Structures are given as structure tokens and as C-alpha cells.
Amino acid sequence: MTEPDARDSAPTDDPLAVRRARLDALRAAGIEPYRVSWSVTDRAPRSRTPLGPRTGQDTADAVSVAGRVVALRDQGARGLPRHPRRDGDLQLFLPRGLPREQGFAGVKDLDLGDWVGATGTVLRTRRGEISVAPDAVVLLSKSLRPLPEKFHGLTDTETRYRQRYVDLVAKPRGPCLFETRFRIISAIRRFHGVARLRGGGDAMLQPVPGGAAARPFVTHHNALDMPLYLRIAPELYLKRLLVGGSSACTR
């Protein structure tokens, strides 16, 4: 008599329980669900692969890619996990008849949100989409929490502002927000450099709180055995810079 699969005993109405059961099944099968590292050789193979407009083209361009699974499609015997990247989605094209020893034993157990790595060659499918035909697919990180619903996105305002990482996952162009923030900060610093303006760092934890009538966060420094207050305003330390003669700097 064979033991029942852990996935069969998990309640189907609880996505978290189903995913935990799959996690236990992977570990029981000797598959590590959380790898330490994975080497990525190409983040956007579509941008450098010399493919013409003709569909169904294969290349010898070997790549190693990684990403989060955001869609699973099954067309006959083909599963198509897709990975969002800064340069666009990346599709894995899984042909039929792949043996288990090539690393595809766990593909059927993938969930949306899982991180996977793949090595293979670049091709253009019959529908004209540049994809990767993998010779190995490895689970990098098993996701236990389901992603937000794709059609409506993250509609709960409370979750959006208190769990910003979930909001970034739900937004297709979420990673671009970090790129925009970096460009804004770089532009401000370049402007300050041209204007010969200098910035001075002030302490995050201060022995004397500044900031008018604001109520500061209080903590205790064990090594110094003294209370400290989270910074509210940098005014006091900026005045110390003036006292020290920082405004006397010349070209």
C-alpha cells in the first residue's frame, strides 16, 4: 500500500495549505526548494539574439536566466512559464517528451510567484515570440503566498501602503519605480555638485530631540546606557556644521 500524497490531503480551499503541502512534497523528494545561488548570464536575450522576422527559428545562443513565474499556460503538452524582467517578459518554451532526469520533474508543481532558473537556447516560436528552450529548469524559491489577482490588481488601499512589496509585485512596471527614484536622486546630486553645494550627514539617533512639538520615538542605547531619540529634523546638527565653519569652504 502506498502512502497518500501530501497534496491530496491538503484542503483545496486554502491556497496556503496547498502550497505548503507541495513544499513538503518537494523536500520529501529530495528537491531543495530554496537554493543559495544561481548564475544568470543574460537578462534580456531578446535584445541581442540575431533572430530575423521568420517564425520557428532556433539558435545556438546558450543563456542562463531566472525570474518569477507570473503565468502558467498549457497548450497540449506544452507548459509556458513566463518571467517578468526589466526588459520585458521572458517565456520558457517547454516541448513535449522531456525526460525527468533533465530537470523537469518539478515543473508541473510550479505555482504562480515561484522563482525558477533555466538554462537553454534562444528561439522564436511559431507565434513569433522570442523564448528560451530550456534543457534544465531549477526551482530557486518556492512561493507560499499567492500573487494578487492579475485582472484587477491590488485593490486594497490598506495593503498597498502597508505592504509596498506586494504592491510592487502586483504592478507590471513596479521595478521601474526604483529606477525613476534613482534617476531623480542622481539629478539632484548632480545639480548640487554643479552649484558647489555640500551635504552633511546627521545622526539618526540623537540625545536631544529636535522638531518643535513633535513627539519623538524613544529607545535606549545599551552600550552607552542612555536614552536616544529618532531624528525628526536635522536642524540642530546642520547648525553644528555652521558653527564648525562648513560655510567657509571656497572653490
Side-chain angles (χ1 to χ4, degrees):
M1 179 180 295
T2 60
E3 296 183 359
D5 193 341
R7 290 170 292 175
D8 298 333
S9 60
T12 56
D13 57 344
D14 187 355
L16 183 59
V18 172
R19 294 188 178 218
R20 288 190 180 277
R22 291 185 176 181
L23 177 66
D24 295 337
L26 289 172
R27 285 174 170 164
I31 300 176
E32 174 55 49
Y34 300 102
R35 290 178 62 96
V36 176
S37 63
W38 177 261
S39 177
V40 176
T41 62
D42 204 319
R43 297 185 180 275
R46 68 182 63 196
S47 63
R48 69 176 183 86
T49 302
L51 285 174
R54 184 170 60 86
T55 60
Q57 285 185 288
D58 296 336
T59 70
D61 191 3
V63 295
S64 176
V65 295
R68 185 194 299 271
V69 178
V70 296
L72 284 169
R73 295 177 292 182
D74 190 359
Q75 301 176 353
R78 294 178 174 85
L80 302 176
R82 302 188 67 183
H83 313 261
R85 307 217 65 87
R86 184 179 61 182
D87 303 293
D89 290 350
L90 176 62
Q91 176 175 271
L92 296 185
F93 183 78
L94 306 181
R96 66 184 67 188
L98 291 169
R100 293 174 63 88
E101 59 268 15
Q102 286 187 347
F104 292 91
V107 170
K108 60 184 177 61
D109 294 328
L110 287 178
D111 292 305
L112 298 183
D114 290 351
W115 282 84
V116 298
T119 57
T121 56
V122 181
L123 58 81
R124 186 187 292 275
T125 64
R126 294 181 179 179
R127 295 187 177 183
E129 184 170 1
I130 297 178
S131 308
V132 174
D135 51 41
V137 174
V138 178
L139 178 65
L140 301 181
S141 180
K142 186 67 179 176
S143 175
L144 298 181
R145 296 286 182 178
L147 296 177
E149 194 266 327
K150 290 183 61 177
F151 183 78
H152 296 94
L154 188 60
T155 57
D156 188 357
T157 305
E158 188 75 10
T159 303
R160 286 183 58 192
Y161 286 97
R162 293 190 178 275
Q163 302 179 22
R164 297 308 300 266
Y165 52 91
V166 181
D167 187 33
L168 291 175
V169 171
K171 289 181 178 179
R173 298 183 60 83
C176 295
L177 296 177
F178 288 99
E179 183 72 19
T180 302
R181 179 179 181 273
F182 171 77
R183 292 178 181 273
I184 292 174
I185 294 177
S186 297
I188 294 175
R189 288 176 175 173
R190 287 195 301 269
F191 171 80
H192 287 169
V194 173
R196 303 293 294 175
L197 299 176
R198 298 292 181 263
D202 58 300
M204 294 297 297
L205 294 176
Q206 305 175 356
V208 179
R215 180 180 299 176
F217 170 82
V218 185
T219 186
H220 185 80
H221 197 297
N222 292 330
L224 300 178
D225 191 20
M226 61 181 297
L228 291 176
Y229 306 89
L230 186 64
R231 179 189 67 186
I232 298 176
E235 177 184 358
L236 298 180
Y237 282 83
L238 292 179
K239 288 181 176 179
R240 293 182 183 182
L241 287 176
L242 294 177
V243 172
S246 62
S247 61
C249 295
T250 59
R251 294 180 183 271

